[in-house]
């Protein structure tokens, strides 16, 4: 059987299997951190990812996971580059990614458009009961992507995927 | 376009990277010791950001031909560090760490804002990213300064006295380099004195609104020297501690 040559779409599709190590429901594609995919000679693949935060400790793991997954797709060399050519923002989450965050009981980030306003961190909608009678407890949470809030309506602490 | 002056850029990058590395390390000393859980997490999280930012800046230096980031961070002499004195001090009481955080991060946020338009595009790209990260640091600092400045007489007195102690150290952030003119002319960075002007205009209303009085700049002697490799007595012990494990076997694979 003759296999068709590897396409960029094949790579993007395979990358949907590579999950964010900190929120494994979301793929790296849903997160919006894959900024470029290209295929070179002998089906070598080059993937560029951009960090969510400079101090993200999961970068190496994500690069290794990408290499593992794409290694099953091609016999060629797989190169993963991390750079800031495109600067990540929560605006780059896909619609599917946002939906999955919601299902995982994260409050969603509002549109940032380059500047995080203090208002976007207060009175965010509680992911459990939908109330906006909520308070920001701390803009810093268990990982760099999360802020902690408290809902005065359902008396429950919750996390927001914080806008950046 | 004329070739950008690499020595000038390297000097600027070392200042910034060393500030981030040292203050990041200091902030991490609050891990497990913060006065309340949220503050413990906040300082730990900001430490993580700063170490990540220093890594990106050392990586730019490496791309310009200097040694690899780990060697730059962990295997240089004290005199080769270009951090300002403010970041070197031990964490002290919480009021000191908060005030340092307020004064330093407000300048850093403005610095990244200026650098977002730098003619040295690799730096402009990371500045655009880090300015967003810094937003959370400055929101955190501003909130606490306002709260403690307005809470009661004891908290106000403590935070005012930290301000007076930190202020000459903070002016040392803006110690001019030998390359001010070149950096400005080539559009890399408008310069330390420009930044200091913006910074003073930015913090004055915030301090006044928090019931605090800003020390008089003209009668305050800035703590200079750090940018030229002359440091306080606090840096050497910090570097020794920070590099203790690394120096057992610098060639170890982690």
């Amino acid at each position: 059987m003759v296999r068709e040559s590897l396409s960029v779409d094949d790579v993007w599709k395979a990358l949907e299997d590579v999950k964010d190590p900190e929120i494994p429901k979301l793929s790296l594609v849903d997160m919006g951190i894959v900024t470029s995919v290209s295929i070179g000679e002998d089906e070598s693949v080059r993937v560029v990812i951009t960090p969510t935060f400079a101090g993200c400790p999961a970068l190496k793991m994500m690069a290794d996971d990408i290499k593992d997954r794409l290694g099953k797709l091609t016999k060629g060399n797989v190169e993963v580059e991390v750079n800031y050519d495109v600067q990540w923002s929560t605006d780059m989450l896909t619609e599917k990614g946002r939906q999955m965050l919601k299902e995982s009981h994260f409050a969603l980030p509002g549109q940032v458009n380059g500047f995080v306003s203090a208002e976007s961190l207060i009175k965010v909608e509680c992911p459990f009961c939908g109330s906006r009678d909520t308070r920001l407890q701390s803009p810093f949470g268990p990982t760099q992507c999360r802020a902690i809030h408290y809902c005065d309506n359902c008396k429950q602490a919750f996390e927001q995927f914080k806008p950046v | 376009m004329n070739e950008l002056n690499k020595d000038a850029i390297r000097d600027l990058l070392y200042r910034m990277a060393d500030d981030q590395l040292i203050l990041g390390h200091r902030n991490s000393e609050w891990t497990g010791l913060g006065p309340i859980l949220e503050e413990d997490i906040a300082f730990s999280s900001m430490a993580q950001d700063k170490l990540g930012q220093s890594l990106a800046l050392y990586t730019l230096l490496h791309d310009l031909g200097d040694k690899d980031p780990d060697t730059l961070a962990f295997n240089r002499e004290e005199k080769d560090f270009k951090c300002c004195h403010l970041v070197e001090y031990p964490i002290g009481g919480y009021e000191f760490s908060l005030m340092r955080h307020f004064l330093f991060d407000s300048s850093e946020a403005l610095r990244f804002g200026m650098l977002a338009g730098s003619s040295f595009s690799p730096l402009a790209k990371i500045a655009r990213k880090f300015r967003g990260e810094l937003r959370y640091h400055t929101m955190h600092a501003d909130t606490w300064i306002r709260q403690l400045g307005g809470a009661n007489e004891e908290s106000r007195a403590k935070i005012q006295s930290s301000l007076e102690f930190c202020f000459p150290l903070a002016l040392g952030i803006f110690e001019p380099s030998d390359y001010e003119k070149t950096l400005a002319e080539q559009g890399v960075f408008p310069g330390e004195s420009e930044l200091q002007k913006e910074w003073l205009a930015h913090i004055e209303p915030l301090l006044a609104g928090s019931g605090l009085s800003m020390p008089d700049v003209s009668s305050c002697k800035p703590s200079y020297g750090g940018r030229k490799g002359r440091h306080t007595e606090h840096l050497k012990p910090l570097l020794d501690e920070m590099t203790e494990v690394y120096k057992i076997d610098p060639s170890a694979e982690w």
Side-chain angles (χ1 to χ4, degrees):
Chain A
M1 195 178 95
V2 180
R3 191 169 75 94
E4 281 185 33
S5 63
L6 185 68
S7 74
V8 169
D9 282 348
D10 296 335
V11 177
W12 278 104
K13 207 160 173 328
L15 287 173
E16 287 184 25
D17 298 337
V18 185
K19 304 299 180 188
D20 175 355
E22 284 175 351
I23 309 174
K25 271 203 160 192
L26 265 74
S27 77
L28 302 188
V29 177
D30 296 328
M31 289 283 290
I33 66 167
V34 179
T35 55
S36 153
V37 168
S38 53
I39 295 175
E41 273 178 41
D42 300 325
E43 298 201 342
S44 67
V45 179
R46 187 167 172 276
V47 175
V48 179
I49 59 175
T50 188
T52 52
F53 280 80
C56 175
L59 277 173
K60 172 144 194 334
M61 194 171 170
M62 292 194 273
D64 288 345
D65 289 351
I66 291 174
K67 283 182 193 162
D68 280 352
R69 178 64 189 90
L70 298 185
K72 291 178 190 142
L73 204 66
T74 173
K75 293 258 182 294
N77 185 42
V78 178
E79 186 199 347
V80 181
E81 187 183 327
V82 181
N83 71 33
Y84 291 90
D85 286 355
V86 177
Q87 298 100 41
W88 187 78
S89 150
T90 39
D91 292 353
M92 287 153 69
L93 286 161
T94 63
E95 215 24 69
K96 188 167 146 239
R98 293 176 66 86
Q99 195 53 41
M100 285 183 150
L101 281 173
K102 214 172 170 182
E103 283 167 18
S104 305
H105 297 299
F106 282 100
L108 296 177
Q111 281 288 309
V112 174
N113 296 327
F115 183 78
V116 176
S117 66
E119 289 71 35
S120 65
L121 283 166
I122 55 170
K123 302 284 169 206
V124 304
E125 187 182 305
C126 171
F128 293 102
C129 73
S131 168
R132 283 194 181 265
D133 187 11
T134 64
R135 286 178 280 139
L136 173 67
Q137 292 279 96
S138 170
F140 299 101
T143 74
Q144 285 162 309
C145 325
R146 312 180 192 184
I148 305 170
H149 297 255
Y150 186 80
C151 176
D152 280 320
N153 183 50
C154 70
K155 314 285 182 217
Q156 170 110 345
F158 65 90
E159 292 177 343
Q160 178 192 22
F161 200 83
K162 76 190 193 194
V164 287
Chain B
M1 197 176 99
N2 286 339
E3 186 93 348
L4 296 178
N5 183 322
K6 292 287 183 317
D7 287 336
I9 291 174
R10 288 174 64 246
D11 182 70
L12 177 65
L13 292 175
Y14 273 113
R15 290 164 166 248
M16 293 170 61
D18 291 346
D19 277 353
Q20 306 281 358
L21 176 73
I22 300 302
L23 188 53
H25 194 86
R26 285 298 187 204
N27 282 350
S28 79
E29 291 173 357
W30 280 110
T31 304
L33 299 178
I36 52 170
L37 182 61
E38 285 84 349
E39 284 308 282
D40 196 307
I41 296 169
F43 268 81
S44 307
S45 194
M46 292 189 290
Q48 200 179 332
D49 283 340
K50 292 207 182 307
L51 292 184
Q53 292 164 3
S54 76
L55 172 62
L57 291 161
Y58 288 129
T59 303
L60 289 190
L61 281 158
H62 184 47
D63 294 343
L64 290 175
D66 286 16
K67 294 192 171 130
D68 68 281
D70 278 345
T71 307
L72 294 180
F74 297 124
N75 212 359
R76 270 184 302 149
E77 302 282 326
E78 181 198 3
K79 65 174 172 48
D80 299 329
F81 274 79
K82 291 191 170 164
C83 49
C84 63
H85 293 168
L86 177 67
V87 300
E88 298 171 10
Y89 274 67
I91 52 176
Y94 208 61
E95 71 275 19
F96 167 76
S97 276
L98 269 181
M99 185 49 79
R100 165 163 67 187
H101 157 44
F102 170 75
L103 296 172
F104 181 83
D105 285 329
S106 52
S107 81
E108 201 65 358
L110 294 170
R111 186 185 293 271
F112 284 133
M114 284 179 163
L115 289 170
S118 175
S119 58
F120 181 52
S121 68
L123 181 56
K125 283 174 191 164
I126 63 171
R128 285 200 280 271
K129 174 69 186 157
F130 297 168
R131 137 179 102 165
E133 297 184 4
L134 256 295
R135 268 293 283 161
Y136 283 93
H137 300 208
T138 53
M139 278 195 275
H140 177 262
D142 296 355
T143 306
W144 274 105
I145 295 298
R146 213 176 300 125
Q147 272 188 1
L148 294 177
N152 60 31
E153 198 35 54
E154 187 190 353
S155 70
R156 204 202 69 83
K158 276 193 171 184
I159 207 84
Q160 177 70 38
S161 97
S162 316
L163 172 60
E164 278 154 28
F165 179 78
C166 288
F167 203 68
L169 294 167
L171 291 175
I173 297 172
F174 314 102
E175 179 178 354
S177 77
D178 299 335
Y179 299 103
E180 296 294 319
K181 214 167 146 250
T182 313
L183 288 171
E185 276 173 4
Q186 298 199 324
V188 175
F189 174 57
E192 298 295 338
S193 68
E194 270 306 300
L195 178 59
Q196 178 174 322
K197 239 185 275 165
E198 269 199 28
W199 176 75
L200 288 169
H202 175 79
I203 62 167
E204 191 165 23
L206 280 169
L207 290 170
S210 308
L212 302 170
S213 38
M214 192 159 93
D216 178 20
V217 184
S218 57
S219 63
C220 189
K221 189 169 173 287
S223 188
Y224 284 166
R227 306 304 193 189
K228 304 274 154 79
R230 294 190 304 276
H231 296 286
T232 64
E233 62 192 353
H234 307 295
L235 182 63
K236 183 71 171 60
L238 174 70
L239 291 176
D240 287 344
E241 187 194 86
M242 210 170 80
T243 58
E244 195 181 348
V245 176
Y246 177 84
K247 284 193 174 145
I248 295 171
D249 181 3
S251 65
E253 291 272 340
W254 294 87

